[in-house]
Amino acid sequence: MSTRRPRCFVRPPARLCGCALLAALVFSTGCGEDESSATAPSGAAAALLQYPYTIVTTTGMVTDIVRQVASDKATVIGLLGEGVDPHLYKPTRADVAKIINADLIFYSGLMLEGRMSDTFTKAGNRGSKVYPVTQIIDEKYLLEPPDFRGHWDPHVWMDVSAWSQCVQVVADALGDFDPSNATTYQANATVYVAKLDGLHAYVTKVIASIPEQQRVLITAHDAFNYFSRAYGIRVMGVQGISTESEAGLDDINRIVDFIVSDQISAVFVESSVSDKNVKALIEGADAQGHAATIGGELFSDAMGAPRTYEGTYMGMLDHNATTIARALGGKAPPRGMNGKLSGKSH
Amino acid sequence: MARINTSRSRLRSFTARRPKRGALVIAAALSMSAFTAEIAAAPMQNPKGGHSIADTGFTWPTVEQTVRVLTLRDYNTRIVVMGVTCLGLASGTVGTFLLLRKRSLTADALSHAALPGIGLAFITLVLLGQDGKHLPGLLAGAFIAGCLGVGCILIIRHTTRLKDDAALGIVLSVSFGLGVVLLTIIQQMPVGGQAGLQRFVIGRAASMGARDAWVILICAAAVIVVCAALFKELQLLCFDQGYAGAQGWPVIRLDVILMALVTMVTVIALQSVGLVLAVAMLIIPAAAARFWTDQLMRMTLTAALIGMVSGYLGAVISALQPRMPTGPVIVLVCAAGFGVSMVAGIRRGMVVRVWRHWQLNNRVAMQHLLRAMFEQYESGTTPDRAFDGARMIQPRRIKVQFDKLLPKRSWTAAELRGIAATAVRRGLIHRNDDNSLSLTDAGGAQARRVVRNHRLWETYLIHYADIAPSHVDRDADQIEHVLGRDMVDRLERLLSEQLPPRTVPPSPHGA
Amino acid sequence: MNWLISDTWTIVIGSLCAVACALPGALLVLRRMSMMGDAISHTVLPGLAIAFLLTHSRAPLAMFIGAAVIGVATAFFIQGVQKLGKTESGASMGIVFTTLFAVGLVLMRQAVDHVDIDPDCVLYGAIETAGTTWQYITLLGVTAPRAVFVNGGAMVVNLVLIALLYKEFKISAFDPALATTLGISATLMHYLLMTMTAATAVAAFESVGSILVIAMFIVPPATAYLLTDRLAVMMVLSAVFGVLAAVFGHVAAIIVPPWFGFEGTSTAGMMAVVAGLLFALVWLASPRYGVLARMYHRLVMSMHVLCEDVMGLLYRLEELTDTQPATMPVADMTQALVARAWLVRRALGSLGRQRMIRRGDLGYVLTDAGRDQARQLVRSHRLWESYLAHYLRLPADHLHDPANRLEHAHELADKVDVALGRPETDPQGKTIPSRDNQ
């Protein structure tokens, strides 16, 4: 579990601008060596710290936490835009440059970022300050397939109470890096956690307002297991967790039968998955005389458009909970918890 | 396939998730609610996770379930079966021509070539202020890009000396690269909804809707009409493009029509059943049909039939067993059909080829034996006068010792005994009491014919083909077995100055 | 642009990968199996699923071994289907990769549906991160990114194998039957090539991702094939094109997107695109097989033919009107020759410069030198007509067009003359002019 422990080394700045191929080649071997020798204790770095320092994050959910906690002390660069599928993310050269120049790196962890997790781990091993934010969550709490222990379901952010634990990781890490502002970070974290607690309460409330019989979330793929457990709503995904996963006819038929027998009124599409299998469910139910509708578009792996409320973690969860509750006959305000949702029905 | 699961997973599988197939509807519902209740009851300590983690055991479907599926009582089963069957029909038909044009992998290339089209369509839609993930818009982009890709393939094919595979490969890899370049740029655009764009237009067989099925049906009808109308032209294009061109057929236009059909089938298949099935359906049925017939019309029909049957069977299997992804299962059924055809196909199947080879060997060996006997008769080592030059009178009276035959050819004693036994069974050779062999009347006649063919051919080769006499024997051996009656007659006519008719000529090697 | 050390490494890794792929790629293109890289990129899925089921681990090493085993198996399956079923190579690839891919998808759904084992997620590396400092390892006293060793190793192995077995590879690629008679097992060489391909592909997938590999197997060798007929030269050229694509691809990935206001884009994708652009360039400009070269030759040829036609036309006019010199306006000429006006004008210009024709009062007339030339031409035309009528028994009204095409073969006309016994008139009864002026 070494990869889930915080790293406390400082990576020296690698400012290299050799252009000629050969010269750079020769140069590079030398550079690799002085890199490993120059690990300094964190305090020294803090003394020289210039504000705002640079933090690189991966998914929008992680970016949000870091933005809230660091406030104006750091420039936070999210590598994955709000609408990017983290499973398949591959960095560009510009991203690599950002990672190299970053003072701190936060990523989600649990293999959400695929091979990039591996890259981050290696970067951590070589002295960069790299933190997977999910490291704080108790392993017992994480969902894993019974056959394959340790291969946790990475969609932790679907449970607000679990995700709010990750805020502490960020606050502690920033405090270590910049001890002079540690209290600010802790205070920011407390504020954000309080907001998240409010969100958690809201989601719990609106989901609970759905009639017992209707409390079933049928979606395109399996990303809502934490949501299910945290808010007491059954979930059924048509296809598995991987993008290559594909459903069979029997799976579709069973869900259709279930929709009809339990008179489920709405099913949901996801922004990052084709809506076809969900539409097939509706057609199937319709053929049996039960009219189900598409309850709306949920954000699972990716968030809404940038610079909108849905493009933030809170907006995303608010949108999901509100959409689900309203479509399944629960009570929720049309514009969500804070009245900030655009109210666009997809 | 279901048996592949580890026994461990079967042990751990949730009993509550395993519905009794009898009352499927209620059982499924009950088991799911029971299971979720289990999770809800222990929210924080249940590490088992995903509620829909497979019950991966294998259970035979009940009769009721089977009947329900086979009679297509479920709406989705009905749609999917209809869609994939029609797709099998269309793909099998077009695939036959593709296979013969050695362009089987076109669908694969097209699926990659569509990527930049999707990317550009998204960018265009966003710039126009629309929602980027507008399915018809993206499909139009994919289709246009596919057409451009096919155009590039045809251009490369017709203007360079590169072969079809390289033309496909270049288009595939470059447009794949371009697609990734565009997608990476799209990821930086300040709009939502980029996630999953790459696979957004790619469908899944199981989630086919009524509209998809109708589109496939129309597409299949179009394919059949075009192929039937242009059958002769396409046939010529496939078998002898050079000849077709020389005869003034519009070769390039025909090629374009064929590729347009392929593009249509591929794009429609991609968006309704997904990549693997779209590619497989264009290749496997046609390749399987090749084992059953050499005739194009029959091959096309066989391929269409194999495509339809595997579509149907695969869909049914995936409706009978849980967690059987429809598209891949159909591909596996197709592959099984290919395997069976490869082994058992009556035209080019392995069994037939082995059998033919074995038969030919047998016939050759038998002729060798007869010739060896004949030469033994001729060689004069037998003092008996029954052998009269080229004429056979009472060949039975001559006996040939077994060990005299052995050095005649490079066969082992066991092989020779085996061939002799077969010859005895066929009544060509008589085994005397002292274990020596004699030709029967029938055997004598046949031996005469064989030797005659052999020597005619040898003479022909020596006189007309300038082959050194020492090399002739071997060549003649190979060819005499396929010499037909009329060929022998012709040779006779050609060589009539040297040879009295209807006799066995002397060996050109000299006695 | 701020050049980083990792940029240099990216180019080095891309170049090594390109060369490693281009060497077997050249043979694959010749053997019509250039889609191998793509086929293997599809078949790694079942390898990943099986490796995961066996090891319960998604560590890169386990995934790599699973993919490598299935990659080599793919090569063998393809060869098996091709040999046993006598199926065409593209179709066997398609059959094998779709089947294995389907096996992978079924396995995934049946057994590992709740773990993401997408190749993009667990196997494919990214060339952009492969060159960063945290990927450094030290091997044999050299510190460099791991991908340098992986791709460099693949390149060296391929280079050594091809250098050692160059003759064998060459003969069995061009003429398997000859290889067998020379005592080289074409089958063995084929399996060796397939194994090299599979191993190279999977090694490169793991370090630089799939796009680059698929492209580098095909595009540089295909480009080189347009320039040369010799295998060794083709291999060297494909390596050169691969390296060029790597260098310019990375540079383009950095500098092109900012023109449109974006930060940058996928280096591997850009390398593939640049490889494609290089192909297009060579396709256009190759001196021997290039489109431009061929268009140029065709244009020169048709201009030559047109010039001769103009002279023939003027000569016949003189014959017909019995005047010397006879004048013909340009418009009439264009109409009579059924050619584009600008081409005719060019032809007239060129003939004028050669002093074959000169401008008359109403159009152009033949000079004396031109008349000599034109006579040869008309002679040739009528001789060919006689020849076609005599030997091929073409009817009189079918003689003109083929003779029109053949008349430009002046050298052969003398032989035709002799063969026909020096005829006086052609089948239409027109006088065949003599070779020399009389």
Side-chain angles (χ1 to χ4, degrees):
Chain A
M1 287 297 99
S2 63
T3 61
R4 304 188 64 232
R5 203 175 300 138
R7 306 261 148 226
C8 297
F9 304 102
V10 170
R11 187 196 49 76
R15 309 254 182 273
L16 300 159
C17 49
C19 270
L21 200 78
L22 264 175
L25 251 171
V26 176
F27 192 52
S28 66
T29 32
C31 169
E33 280 154 21
D34 69 43
E35 181 117 16
S36 50
S37 60
T39 43
S42 54
L48 302 167
L49 204 57
Q50 286 185 329
Y51 296 101
Y53 51 93
T54 316
I55 305 177
V56 164
T57 58
T58 57
T59 62
M61 305 77 167
V62 181
T63 313
D64 265 7
I65 298 183
V66 179
R67 283 225 173 96
Q68 295 291 334
V69 175
S71 65
D72 58 345
K73 298 283 184 293
T75 313
V76 182
I77 305 171
L79 292 182
L80 283 75
E82 287 77 356
V84 178
D85 188 343
H87 299 291
L88 304 179
Y89 165 71
K90 290 275 181 282
T92 64
R93 181 259 183 195
D95 292 346
V96 170
K98 286 177 202 159
I99 294 173
I100 289 174
N101 293 321
D103 296 302
L104 285 154
I105 299 169
F106 292 96
Y107 68 105
S108 188
L110 304 176
M111 272 298 268
L112 177 73
E113 289 93 348
R115 279 294 302 273
M116 274 304 282
S117 315
D118 181 41
T119 302
F120 289 134
T121 313
K122 277 193 191 141
N125 286 338
R126 290 193 72 88
S128 300
K129 299 191 105 187
V130 179
Y131 303 90
V133 294
T134 50
Q135 65 183 357
I136 198 171
I137 299 172
D138 192 342
E139 273 177 33
K140 281 193 191 132
Y141 181 81
L142 295 169
L143 294 172
E144 60 187 343
D147 298 335
F148 307 111
R149 304 210 161 260
H151 297 281
W152 296 283
D153 182 345
H155 302 90
V156 192
W157 59 90
M158 286 294 168
D159 175 352
V160 182
S161 63
W163 195 243
S164 67
Q165 296 174 38
C166 302
V167 178
Q168 198 54 48
V169 177
V170 178
D172 290 346
L174 293 185
D176 279 352
F177 180 74
D178 177 17
S180 54
N181 286 309
T183 46
T184 322
Y185 300 134
Q186 291 298 340
N188 288 345
T190 318
V191 172
Y192 191 52
V193 167
K195 277 193 201 162
L196 292 182
D197 285 346
L199 179 66
H200 184 66
Y202 171 77
V203 177
T204 314
K205 190 187 81 192
V206 296
I207 298 296
S209 72
I210 302 169
E212 177 75 46
Q213 187 66 32
Q214 289 288 315
R215 221 177 291 157
V216 181
L217 175 58
I218 297 172
T219 58
H221 96 299
D222 241 342
F224 289 86
N225 290 319
Y226 288 100
F227 192 84
S228 155
R229 189 182 59 186
Y231 305 110
I233 181 167
R234 284 172 273 170
V235 298
M236 296 165 92
V238 179
Q239 68 187 46
I241 214 163
S242 158
T243 29
E244 294 276 13
S245 174
E246 182 170 344
L249 254 180
D250 182 73
D251 309 331
I252 298 266
N253 284 339
R254 280 204 217 187
I255 300 180
V256 168
D257 289 342
F258 177 77
I259 292 173
V260 174
S261 67
D262 273 33
Q263 296 289 303
I264 305 298
S265 57
V267 292
F268 299 87
V269 299
E270 286 171 54
S271 64
S272 58
V273 183
S274 164
D275 57 358
K276 279 200 137 173
N277 41 25
V278 172
K279 283 190 173 148
L281 296 179
I282 292 181
E283 276 190 26
D286 198 44
Q288 293 190 35
H290 171 72
T293 56
I294 290 186
E297 188 182 61
L298 304 183
F299 299 115
S300 50
D301 291 340
M303 312 204 297
R307 289 190 284 280
T308 63
Y309 179 54
E310 287 86 346
T312 65
Y313 172 66
M314 290 191 62
M316 164 190 178
L317 261 284
D318 187 5
H319 168 90
N320 284 354
T322 310
T323 309
I324 294 167
R326 292 178 59 81
L328 292 175
K331 283 185 274 303
R335 310 203 57 139
M337 179 173 71
N338 302 320
K340 285 192 201 160
L341 289 178
S342 64
K344 253 194 294 178
S345 62
H346 291 271
Chain B
M1 287 319 310
R3 289 186 187 281
I4 290 174
N5 314 308
T6 56
S7 55
R8 209 130 82 86
S9 64
R10 219 173 293 170
L11 277 178
R12 292 221 184 125
S13 63
F14 295 93
T15 41
R17 257 288 288 173
R18 187 178 281 170
K20 293 283 164 280
R21 295 302 181 117
L24 184 104
V25 183
I26 300 139
L30 275 181
S31 63
M32 274 169 212
S33 35
F35 176 72
T36 352
E38 186 184 308
I39 277 196
M44 294 304 277
Q45 336 92 349
N46 180 3
K48 295 238 168 114
H51 70 292
S52 49
I53 279 168
D55 83 309
T56 41
F58 180 84
T59 41
W60 284 101
T62 61
V63 174
E64 195 178 333
Q65 160 92 350
T66 313
V67 168
R68 182 177 164 179
V69 167
L70 289 179
T71 54
L72 308 181
R73 227 174 292 161
D74 290 304
Y75 171 83
N76 295 81
T77 315
R78 218 152 49 221
I79 291 290
V80 172
V81 165
M82 179 180 124
V84 294
T85 313
C86 288
L87 180 69
L89 178 68
S91 299
T93 310
V94 181
T96 309
F97 298 108
L98 266 193
L99 179 82
L100 295 174
R101 301 277 290 144
K102 301 196 172 162
R103 290 205 194 132
S104 297
L105 290 171
T106 306
D108 188 31
L110 274 178
S111 68
H112 291 286
L115 201 56
I118 295 169
L120 282 177
F122 184 90
I123 293 175
T124 314
L125 286 167
V126 168
L127 290 182
L128 291 174
Q130 304 286 313
D131 176 22
K133 271 195 179 163
H134 177 63
L135 188 60
L138 295 181
L139 274 178
F143 183 74
I144 293 168
C147 289
L148 285 178
V150 166
C152 289
I153 292 172
L154 289 178
I155 289 174
I156 293 176
R157 184 68 189 93
H158 286 284
T159 61
T160 71
R161 60 205 198 112
L162 290 166
K163 301 291 185 297
D164 294 287
D165 69 312
L168 289 174
I170 291 167
V171 169
L172 179 149
S173 51
V174 175
S175 38
F176 189 24
L178 185 60
V180 172
V181 164
L182 287 174
L183 287 177
T184 315
I185 283 178
I186 287 172
Q187 286 188 348
Q188 301 161 22
M189 289 174 75
V191 289
Q194 302 99 319
L197 182 61
Q198 197 167 353
R199 289 165 210 262
F200 192 69
V201 301
I202 294 190
R204 304 288 197 208
S207 47
M208 205 185 281
R211 202 160 44 147
D212 296 316
W214 282 112
V215 170
I216 294 178
L217 185 74
I218 293 165
C219 159
V223 164
I224 287 167
V225 167
V226 173
C227 286
L230 295 176
F231 189 79
K232 225 198 294 168
E233 287 84 349
L234 290 174
Q235 182 168 25
L236 208 52
L237 182 72
C238 290
F239 285 115
D240 198 345
Q241 186 182 343
Y243 178 73
Q247 288 292 298
W249 295 94
V251 172
I252 294 187
R253 214 179 311 156
L254 276 174
D255 214 7
V256 169
I257 293 176
L258 179 62
M259 294 309 268
L261 279 185
V262 173
T263 314
M264 181 178 78
V265 173
T266 308
V267 169
I268 287 172
L270 269 182
Q271 67 94 32
S272 55
V273 300
L275 172 79
V276 59
L277 190 53
V279 177
M281 278 293 212
L282 276 171
I283 304 175
I284 305 184
R290 193 96 177 87
F291 294 110
W292 295 99
T293 172
D294 281 334
Q295 207 225 333
L296 183 65
M297 179 56 96
R298 279 192 213 136
M299 185 175 154
T300 313
L301 294 177
T302 316
L305 187 72
I306 293 174
M308 287 170 74
V309 170
S310 14
Y312 176 77
L313 282 181
V316 163
I317 291 171
S318 96
L320 284 175
Q321 276 297 312
R323 316 185 73 73
M324 280 294 205
T326 311
V329 170
I330 296 174
V331 174
L332 292 181
V333 173
C334 251
F338 176 82
V340 170
S341 306
M342 187 165 106
V343 174
I346 56 172
R347 216 46 234 178
R348 297 160 154 242
M350 281 160 66
V351 171
V352 170
R353 272 191 290 129
V354 169
W355 167 247
R356 273 199 218 117
H357 191 74
W358 185 75
Q359 257 188 333
L360 182 70
N361 277 352
N362 246 358
R363 201 167 71 227
V364 171
M366 184 63 63
Q367 292 182 354
H368 286 161
L369 174 67
L370 290 176
R371 200 149 61 81
M373 291 283 290
F374 191 93
E375 279 164 7
Q376 207 55 30
Y377 273 41
E378 242 181 353
S379 66
T381 50
T382 45
D384 205 300
R385 303 297 306 157
F387 183 73
D388 168 25
R391 292 190 178 280
M392 284 282 182
I393 302 166
Q394 292 179 311
R396 277 223 196 192
R397 286 172 44 202
I398 303 177
K399 294 179 180 175
V400 176
Q401 292 304 321
F402 190 81
D403 47 357
K404 286 261 167 54
L405 288 174
L406 205 53
K408 280 260 165 200
R409 303 202 70 86
S410 57
W411 44 31
T412 64
E415 277 169 357
L416 180 56
R417 257 194 297 277
I419 302 162
T422 316
V424 169
R425 253 200 324 280
R426 293 198 190 156
L428 298 175
I429 279 180
H430 178 73
R431 196 188 295 277
N432 302 311
D433 298 333
D434 58 350
N435 238 356
S436 63
L437 303 174
S438 300
L439 287 167
T440 62
D441 287 343
Q446 197 166 335
R448 249 179 51 137
R449 207 164 57 240
V450 168
V451 173
R452 184 182 162 73
N453 287 353
H454 180 79
R455 288 188 187 162
L456 277 172
W457 192 238
E458 272 184 340
T459 315
Y460 173 77
L461 287 179
I462 287 170
H463 286 262
Y464 290 83
D466 289 338
I467 292 176
S470 60
H471 285 119
V472 164
D473 200 343
R474 213 170 52 136
D475 290 349
D477 267 5
Q478 286 158 11
I479 295 159
E480 65 177 0
H481 309 295
V482 292
L483 266 188
R485 206 45 262 163
D486 53 337
M487 184 63 197
V488 173
D489 285 346
R490 206 176 311 161
L491 272 180
E492 251 166 27
R493 249 176 283 127
L494 271 168
L495 301 170
S496 57
E497 305 105 54
Q498 305 166 13
L499 298 168
R502 292 272 144 219
T503 54
V504 175
S507 166
H509 302 286
Chain C
M1 186 177 69
N2 184 16
W3 191 262
L4 304 171
I5 192 71
S6 65
D7 289 323
T8 309
W9 280 125
T10 303
I11 286 177
V12 170
I13 293 166
S15 306
L16 289 173
C17 171
V19 176
C21 294
L23 291 173
L27 291 165
L28 289 176
V29 165
L30 291 178
R31 289 204 156 187
R32 316 187 62 164
M33 298 201 75
S34 43
M35 297 280 271
M36 267 307 283
D38 177 59
I40 291 174
S41 79
H42 288 290
T43 57
V44 293
L45 185 68
L48 302 182
I50 292 167
F52 179 74
L53 284 174
L54 291 177
T55 62
H56 283 209
S57 151
R58 280 188 287 175
L61 183 66
M63 295 290 106
F64 174 73
I65 292 172
V69 170
I70 207 82
V72 175
T74 305
F76 277 74
F77 285 147
I78 289 173
Q79 182 66 7
V81 170
Q82 213 177 332
K83 269 252 142 67
L84 296 177
K86 303 245 176 283
T87 308
E88 186 256 324
S89 62
S92 4
M93 268 186 240
I95 292 162
V96 170
F97 96 67
T98 51
T99 308
L100 284 179
F101 191 45
V103 168
L105 288 172
V106 171
L107 268 182
M108 205 160 97
R109 180 72 178 160
Q110 283 280 323
V112 283
D113 209 24
H114 279 258
V115 182
D116 194 350
I117 53 159
D118 203 313
D120 264 315
C121 177
V122 296
L123 179 69
Y124 294 166
I127 192 169
E128 289 87 348
T129 54
T132 47
T133 49
W134 57 81
Q135 303 277 13
Y136 282 7
I137 57 168
T138 303
L139 202 72
L140 306 170
V142 183
T143 306
R146 200 173 51 89
V148 171
F149 294 107
V150 173
N151 289 291
M155 184 191 81
V156 169
V157 170
N158 288 349
L159 202 61
V160 167
L161 277 174
I162 288 182
L164 285 180
L165 300 169
Y166 178 74
K167 198 185 80 194
E168 283 82 354
F169 271 124
K170 184 170 147 184
I171 294 175
S172 45
F174 284 109
D175 192 347
L178 178 65
T180 314
T181 47
L182 291 177
I184 302 163
S185 168
T187 318
L188 188 70
M189 295 316 292
H190 193 75
Y191 277 117
L192 185 60
L193 174 63
M194 290 291 110
T195 314
M196 266 164 72
T197 307
T200 310
V202 176
F205 284 164
E206 197 273 330
S207 55
V208 301
S210 65
I211 311 159
L212 190 62
V213 183
I214 296 172
M216 289 306 168
F217 268 122
I218 311 172
V219 187
T223 313
Y225 191 54
L226 296 183
L227 286 170
T228 178
D229 290 330
R230 293 183 49 214
L231 180 61
V233 181
M234 182 176 163
M235 284 181 171
V236 172
L237 280 179
S238 24
V240 170
F241 283 122
V243 172
L244 285 178
V247 174
F248 289 108
H250 187 58
V251 173
I254 299 171
I255 63 170
V256 174
W259 299 346
F260 303 98
F262 294 101
E263 272 186 328
T265 187
S266 157
T267 288
M270 222 33 160
M271 288 178 178
V273 171
V274 170
L277 291 177
L278 285 173
F279 174 81
L281 195 70
V282 171
W283 173 69
L284 282 174
S286 156
R288 201 179 320 168
Y289 300 107
V291 172
L292 289 182
R294 270 192 282 173
M295 271 170 66
Y296 176 74
H297 285 309
R298 212 174 297 155
L299 195 71
V300 167
M301 192 66 202
S302 61
M303 187 55 82
H304 180 73
V305 167
L306 193 62
C307 286
E308 295 199 341
D309 285 349
V310 167
M311 295 205 298
L313 192 67
L314 286 172
Y315 185 86
R316 288 194 186 88
L317 189 72
E318 288 183 351
E319 258 187 355
L320 209 67
T321 57
D322 226 0
T323 48
Q324 253 185 23
T327 315
M328 195 172 202
V330 179
D332 291 3
M333 256 183 219
T334 312
Q335 204 175 1
L337 293 171
V338 202
R340 286 173 204 280
W342 68 271
L343 273 174
V344 174
R345 270 197 302 278
R346 291 283 309 269
L348 289 171
S350 144
L351 283 171
R353 277 193 299 282
Q354 295 170 46
R355 309 229 175 279
M356 292 294 170
I357 57 169
R358 61 187 166 77
R359 192 183 278 277
D361 301 331
L362 296 163
Y364 286 90
V365 294
L366 283 171
T367 61
D368 289 342
R371 192 167 300 113
D372 278 348
Q373 281 269 323
R375 185 183 307 111
Q376 298 303 323
L377 198 72
V378 173
R379 172 172 179 266
S380 167
H381 179 90
R382 293 187 179 154
L383 279 172
W384 276 114
E385 278 192 349
S386 313
Y387 179 88
L388 292 170
H390 186 264
Y391 286 100
L392 302 183
R393 306 204 183 288
L394 289 183
D397 53 336
H398 278 66
L399 290 174
H400 187 76
D401 285 343
N404 235 0
R405 283 197 288 277
L406 288 166
E407 69 182 12
H408 305 285
H410 303 274
E411 301 78 21
L412 281 175
D414 289 337
K415 291 192 175 169
V416 171
D417 195 23
V418 174
L420 291 171
R422 303 192 182 279
E424 294 278 307
T425 53
D426 76 352
Q428 276 101 353
K430 290 180 192 152
T431 315
I432 297 176
S434 64
R435 204 181 132 86
D436 311 305
N437 190 14
Q438 289 173 351

